[in-house]
Amino acid sequence: MHAKDILIEGYARIQEEVHAAVEGLDPDGLNTRPADEANSVSWLVWHLTRVQDDHVADAFGLDQVWPTGEWEKRFGLGLPRRDTGYGHGPAEVAKVRVDSGDLLTGYYDAVHEQTLGALRSLTAKDLERIVDDAWDPPVTLGARLVSVLSDDLQHVGQAAYVRGLGPVRRIRSQESGGA
């Protein structure tokens, strides 16, 4: 198996987990944050998708899907155009709200397709190419792709965890006299 095939398989796992974390959730399940300082499923999936979109596009010299596919307009978040969620505090996290999981998975799927196209073109030599010399040592394409893969899997795992807290939140709310 070639390195690009392993990367393609890894990124396919992200797509599967994104769909599993979002599927069937209503707006409350997507947007509820388990605590004031915590992230929602919506924010986590939006953020991991923005990071993949930003980093893969940059590494391969592509346009980001966010503005070119008009996803920025569809989401209507009121955040800066190039915002990926990095460094967001509670106020910015609260701005990332969606009415449907289809918006999140649609954007992720569009980014995934662009990522797959880029990965399919890879050669072993490409993975050694420096894509960011602001670090010591400089970051190779291979390291960048593994970094995005790792970050995305962590965030989709967090989204699955937050999703799993949903029924617990409702039970606690009912016990305390809430709706």
Side-chain angles (χ1 to χ4, degrees):
M1 182 177 261
H2 296 282
K4 75 176 178 180
D5 298 322
I6 293 168
L7 288 166
I8 289 169
E9 176 67 23
Y11 279 88
R13 302 284 175 102
I14 299 167
Q15 184 183 39
E16 291 171 13
E17 296 304 324
V18 163
H19 280 263
V22 170
E23 192 171 286
L25 288 179
D26 62 12
D28 185 50
L30 291 165
N31 299 308
T32 298
R33 296 159 59 195
D36 292 340
E37 300 290 320
N39 301 318
S40 65
V41 170
S42 293
W43 186 88
L44 288 160
V45 172
W46 170 82
H47 169 63
L48 74 85
T49 308
R50 285 294 299 125
V51 168
Q52 184 176 332
D53 192 6
D54 175 77
H55 287 29
V56 171
D58 181 61
F60 285 92
L62 303 170
D63 291 329
Q64 288 186 32
V65 173
W66 181 245
T68 62
E70 299 193 2
W71 292 100
E72 178 186 17
K73 289 178 186 173
R74 292 182 210 179
F75 275 77
L77 303 177
L79 294 168
R81 183 174 206 170
R82 303 214 38 101
D83 197 336
T84 64
Y86 182 77
H88 273 191
E92 293 93 356
V93 170
K95 288 182 177 184
V96 180
R97 299 184 58 80
V98 299
D99 293 329
S100 165
D102 291 342
L103 186 63
L104 291 166
T105 57
Y107 175 44
Y108 184 81
D109 290 346
V111 170
H112 181 70
E113 284 306 310
Q114 177 159 292
T115 299
L116 287 183
L119 293 175
R120 287 183 184 120
S121 72
L122 281 177
T123 66
K125 186 76 174 156
D126 292 333
L127 295 171
E128 298 170 18
R129 179 173 53 88
I130 302 298
V131 295
D132 188 348
D133 58 8
W135 298 89
D136 186 19
V139 178
T140 64
L141 177 59
R144 176 60 46 87
L145 292 170
V146 170
S147 175
V148 171
L149 178 67
S150 172
D151 188 64
D152 280 4
L153 286 171
Q154 289 179 61
H155 285 313
V156 78
Q158 293 164 353
Y161 178 79
V162 171
R163 176 192 175 106
L165 293 175
V168 174
R169 285 194 308 268
R170 282 191 286 280
I171 292 168
R172 286 191 184 146
S173 176
Q174 290 169 351
E175 288 174 353
S176 62

